[in-house]
Each structure stands twice: as C-alpha cells, then as structure tokens.
C-alpha cells in the first residue's frame, strides 16, 4: 500500500462541503480541518499498482469546491 497526504485549499465557505464529499466517496482514511495556507488535509492509502497522480486527478480534483491541492508523498513510517 502507498500512503500519501493531500492538503486542500477550498473555495470560500466550501471546506465542510468538500470534506463531506471526500468522506462520502470513501477514498480517504482520515480527513482533518487544519490551520494555515490550506483548509483541509486528508490521508489516503492506495494499492501499489495505482498511480498517485491519476488517483488525485480522477478522485480529488473532481470534488466540487476544491480550488488547489498539495500532495505529500510518504516514504517510511516510524
């Protein structure tokens, strides 16, 4: 399994709707509201054969209200 995080910058007033849509799609293991430059952060696990870029484009960039994303790849859990 591949683990990665995505930070979301949402259109004004859309953070809760975006979080709800991601939860409804059942694609993230965890979703958080966060402070700073981004509104939300979610943790994802996908199979090793799945291309992360394609997953993000097909499943995350299609969520209404998402203005910008930042993907963080992980290497090793300690």
């Amino acid at each position: 399994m591949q683990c990665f995080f995505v930070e979301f910058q949402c259109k004004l007033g859309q953070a809760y709707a975006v979080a709800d849509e991601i939860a409804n799609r059942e694609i993230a293991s965890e979703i958080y509201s966060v402070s700073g430059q981004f509104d939300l952060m979610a943790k994802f696990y996908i199979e090793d054969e799945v291309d992360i870029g394609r997953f993000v484009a097909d499943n995350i960039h299609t969520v209404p209200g998402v203005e910008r994303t930042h993907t963080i790849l992980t290497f090793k859990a300690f």
Side-chain angles (χ1 to χ4, degrees), residues 17-30:
V18 169
D20 287 343
E21 179 63 24
I22 295 167
N24 290 338
R25 291 182 183 201
E26 298 182 352
I27 56 174
S29 65
E30 301 169 45

Side-chain angles (χ1 to χ4, degrees), residues 3 5 11-12 14-15 22 25-26 28-29 31-33 40 45-46 49 55-56 59 62 66 71:
C3 175
F5 293 85
K11 292 180 181 175
L12 193 59
Q14 295 295 305
I22 295 167
R25 291 182 183 201
E26 298 182 352
S29 65
I31 306 166
Y32 299 96
S33 59
L40 302 169
Y45 289 98
I46 58 174
E49 313 77 55
F55 179 88
V56 169
N59 297 286
T62 58
V66 172
T71 303

Side-chain angles (χ1 to χ4, degrees), residues 28-55:
S29 65
E30 301 169 45
I31 306 166
Y32 299 96
S33 59
V34 295
S35 62
Q37 185 177 1
F38 293 90
D39 303 303
L40 302 169
M41 181 170 64
K43 184 177 187 180
F44 297 88
Y45 289 98
I46 58 174
E47 297 295 329
D48 288 332
E49 313 77 55
V50 177
D51 179 82
I52 292 173
R54 173 68 66 167
F55 179 88

